[in-house]
Amino acid sequence: MKYVIAFTFFFLSLDKFYSQKSEFRGVWIASVNNIDWPKNALDSNEKKKEDFLKLIKFYKDLNFNAVIVQIRTAGDAFYPTRFAPYSRFLTGKEGVSPQGDFDFTKWMIDVAHKNGMEFHAWINPYRATTDLNKMNLSPKHDVFQHSDWMIQYGNRYYYDPGLPQVEAHLLKLSEEILDNYDIDALHFDDYFYPYKIAGKNFNDRNSYLKYREKNQSLEQWRRSNVDSLIFKLHRLIEKKKPWVDFGISPFGIWRNKDRDPRGSDTRGGQSNYDDLYADPLLWAEKGWIDYLVPQLYWSLDYPVASHRVLAKWWNDNAANTKIYIGNAPYKINDGKDRAWYQPKELEKQIELARATKNIYGNVLFSAKSLLHHTQITQELKQNIYQNPTLVPKTKRDSAVVLIPQVVRFSNLKAEIQIPEAQNMRWLCIYEKQSGVGEQNWILKDKVFVTGVEDTLVVLVEPFLGLENHAFSLIDLYKNESQKVQIPEFVNEL
């Protein structure tokens, strides 16, 4: 089977190119409460598609390489499943299927891949509802099906993380996603045990008394529950699809220094370890996760929790896990922190990440935040994101990848054979800039090749000359082959 892919190549001077080989450039697309997408759950399928495509095009034009899309917000789903009702944020009423039973999750994955982006499936494990109004819920929601799993806290219901049945349920629904969808990563955000509310008690005493180990404190037991889920998800992914990443985006503060000498020099009101009972440092040290995206939503020199201080802290505590920084463009020109009214704040944060040894990229919250900041977006494109780049390699294997073969070329069309196509992920298209050396090959685009049977036909621009085009393959584990150029002796297409 042949696929024809058209590319437009633009020549950019090397002094505008950020020379790092790989960099994670991600954006969260939040669906809870229709933050980013769909804009309106009652929109037609076509309007929802149009709006999603606009977001993808916007970030593709910024040379982003990953989208993190929320497909489970609160005991619901954005895909057909026997474990949860359809989300009302997708269809307007919980439990109601999209028009024509259209599978938006499969479609979104295809769209992301066709635009050269990884798709990270973002699910919220423990939040069961977004409010206490049960009238909004389907009879198939776990609040009704498994009321014994639920704990009311503040204005929401939560799954009790201490129940083995809850853990088994979350593992089953994760396995279903892995089985049914060609995702690049499974992603959790910062919601584990709920953020504490003054004067309120999270009433999990019964499960604590039933399932704790001898002499285990409540705090230790709660952390062990979350640790257990993370470890078992890691093991599940390794068994089912070991090339899929497992990423977590924790709250930006692990612990404050006044509670632990290993903690950051911050004075945050809550922390992962002490309040959310999440220990991302342990998960990183154990190798249970592939990347962390600490949410450093404060400005560079914010007194209580400095972005600058925290970036260095996470860099120093990366263990063997890739660190990407979570940034908050939603705060631009909004709120009490006047630093976010400076047009260069976000750009400076990204530059700081680039200058920090163990930080490999950034993720922006949320997708709609930059859409109306035209000047900031233009400067990001001009100063930061001039060209595409590869997603960093996260796995520890080092396979040798076979190179693609240019078998015929004519009339600006290169026919390329993809060896072992079932194990390949991307065909990379490079242009050579002035000078010599590997650093002068500039990535211009990627083509998703998983499922391609034999060949791709790529259209190239003539003005650079054949010798200035090259191709490589990236396998499922992000290993890249050597580059191959278009040889002069290839047969005519």
Side-chain angles (χ1 to χ4, degrees):
M1 183 182 298
K2 294 181 181 178
Y3 293 81
V4 179
I5 312 293
F7 296 94
T8 301
F9 294 92
F10 299 96
F11 187 85
L12 295 177
S13 62
L14 189 60
D15 62 349
K16 288 290 187 181
F17 173 64
Y18 174 56
S19 60
Q20 183 167 310
K21 176 69 173 176
S22 63
E23 177 179 56
F24 195 87
R25 300 173 183 173
V27 59
W28 281 290
I29 299 179
S31 57
V32 64
N33 297 317
N34 301 108
I35 291 174
D36 291 313
W37 182 87
K39 287 185 176 180
N40 188 324
L42 297 177
D43 284 341
S44 67
N45 284 6
E46 292 308 309
K47 179 62 166 60
K48 290 170 184 171
K49 289 181 183 179
E50 178 185 331
D51 289 338
F52 188 80
L53 285 166
K54 285 180 180 177
L55 289 175
I56 293 295
K57 182 181 185 303
F58 180 88
Y59 285 97
K60 179 178 174 61
D61 288 346
L62 266 180
N63 290 316
F64 274 50
N65 53 28
V67 288
I68 303 174
V69 182
Q70 192 173 29
I71 63 170
R72 176 180 170 87
T73 73
D76 58 4
F78 271 56
Y79 54 93
T81 172
R82 60 192 178 94
F83 296 113
Y86 263 112
S87 175
R88 73 180 188 273
F89 302 125
L90 178 63
T91 66
K93 184 176 181 180
E94 191 170 276
V96 173
S97 302
Q99 301 162 7
D101 292 326
F102 185 75
D103 190 338
F104 272 98
T105 293
K106 182 180 185 305
W107 177 82
M108 289 189 293
I109 293 170
D110 290 343
V111 167
H113 287 161
K114 287 176 182 176
N115 283 276
M117 295 182 179
E118 289 193 347
F119 186 98
H120 295 216
W122 168 15
I123 67 175
N124 190 289
Y126 296 127
R127 183 173 61 201
T129 69
T130 58
D131 55 39
L132 297 178
N133 184 3
K134 292 184 179 181
M135 297 295 291
N136 286 332
L137 305 179
S138 162
K140 295 182 179 180
H141 193 285
D142 286 332
V143 160
F144 301 116
Q145 296 292 316
H146 302 285
S147 59
D148 55 320
W149 294 359
M150 300 295 150
I151 295 176
Q152 180 183 337
Y153 187 65
N155 63 349
R156 293 173 181 167
Y157 289 97
Y158 294 87
Y159 291 88
D160 183 351
L163 294 177
Q165 307 95 299
V166 166
E167 179 181 79
H169 179 71
L170 295 173
L171 290 169
K172 286 177 183 177
L173 69 86
S174 298
E175 183 175 19
E176 183 186 51
I177 294 169
L178 289 165
D179 284 341
N180 294 343
Y181 295 99
D182 189 17
I183 62 173
D184 298 282
L186 189 69
H187 181 92
F188 283 2
D189 56 11
D190 55 316
Y191 292 101
F192 293 99
Y193 278 82
Y195 285 88
K196 288 181 178 176
I197 303 170
K200 300 287 186 181
N201 176 49
F202 188 77
N203 188 15
D204 56 353
R205 179 173 175 77
N206 288 340
S207 51
Y208 168 60
L209 293 176
K210 185 173 182 179
Y211 295 110
R212 66 176 176 173
E213 295 182 2
K214 185 178 180 180
N215 298 323
Q216 192 176 33
S217 70
L218 176 64
E219 292 77 13
Q220 291 171 333
W221 174 75
R222 285 177 173 173
R223 279 189 287 273
S224 73
N225 295 329
V226 180
D227 293 343
S228 176
L229 176 64
I230 300 304
F231 168 69
K232 289 177 182 177
L233 273 171
H234 159 72
R235 191 169 59 183
L236 174 66
I237 293 169
E238 288 294 302
K239 176 184 177 182
K240 302 291 291 188
K241 289 183 177 178
W243 59 87
V244 169
D245 282 345
F246 185 19
I248 293 178
S249 175
F251 181 64
I253 298 172
W254 175 69
R255 298 191 87 183
N256 292 301
K257 199 170 186 177
D258 63 353
R259 298 291 298 270
D260 189 322
R262 296 179 301 163
S264 54
D265 189 10
T266 51
R267 302 187 302 279
Q270 301 204 39
S271 70
N272 284 287
Y273 189 91
D274 298 298
D275 300 289
L276 307 182
Y277 304 101
D279 190 0
L281 291 196
L282 174 69
W283 311 333
E285 290 165 1
K286 295 288 187 180
W288 296 345
I289 52 176
D290 298 295
Y291 69 80
L292 282 170
V293 193
Q295 296 175 17
L296 306 192
Y297 290 170
W298 305 279
S299 58
L300 283 167
D301 298 303
Y302 191 67
V304 178
S306 160
H307 183 107
R308 193 186 311 277
V309 167
L310 283 163
K312 183 180 185 306
W313 187 89
W314 284 99
N315 172 80
D316 294 344
N317 289 275
N320 295 317
T321 299
K322 287 287 187 297
I323 300 290
Y324 314 137
I325 297 298
N327 304 86
Y330 75 91
K331 288 189 173 183
I332 294 172
N333 297 338
D334 187 26
K336 296 179 180 179
D337 185 356
R338 303 306 299 178
W340 281 106
Y341 291 80
Q342 300 298 319
K344 292 286 189 179
E345 177 66 23
L346 179 60
E347 187 175 325
K348 289 178 180 178
Q349 291 184 9
I350 296 170
E351 288 173 341
L352 174 64
R354 285 184 169 180
T356 308
K357 180 181 178 181
N358 295 318
I359 296 174
Y360 291 85
N362 298 79
V363 184
L364 307 186
F365 186 86
S366 65
K368 70 179 182 183
S369 300
L370 283 182
L371 296 183
H372 305 296
H373 293 294
T374 305
Q375 184 61 38
I376 290 175
T377 301
Q378 289 175 346
E379 292 194 8
L380 286 175
K381 179 66 178 289
Q382 179 180 349
N383 302 328
I384 301 291
Y385 297 134
Q386 301 93 341
N387 284 284
T389 192
L390 302 178
V391 172
K393 178 177 167 58
T394 50
K395 306 296 183 180
R396 293 173 178 82
D397 75 307
S398 56
V400 176
V401 184
L402 297 176
I403 63 173
Q405 299 295 319
V406 183
V407 293
R408 287 191 292 175
F409 182 82
S410 181
N411 297 325
L412 311 182
K413 295 178 182 178
E415 183 176 317
I416 302 172
Q417 284 188 343
I418 311 296
E420 298 184 2
Q422 72 277 10
N423 297 318
M424 297 301 119
R425 201 65 169 170
W426 304 100
L427 174 72
C428 296
I429 298 93
Y430 287 90
E431 286 179 8
K432 191 175 184 180
Q433 310 297 281
S434 59
V436 295
E438 177 68 20
Q439 72 275 13
N440 292 296
W441 283 106
I442 307 301
L443 179 69
K444 299 310 297 182
D445 215 329
K446 295 184 309 195
V447 183
F448 188 71
V449 299
T450 301
V452 172
E453 293 182 10
D454 44 34
T455 62
L456 288 171
V457 176
V458 177
L459 307 183
V460 300
E461 291 291 343
F463 60 86
L464 288 177
L466 298 185
E467 71 279 4
N468 290 322
H469 292 96
F471 307 93
S472 70
L473 282 171
I474 293 179
D475 71 6
L476 291 167
Y477 295 89
K478 301 186 180 73
N479 299 299
E480 187 177 11
S481 74
Q482 295 180 351
K483 297 179 182 65
V484 60
Q485 293 175 257
I486 301 174
E488 295 180 0
F489 55 82
V490 292
N491 300 320
E492 287 192 1
L493 190 63

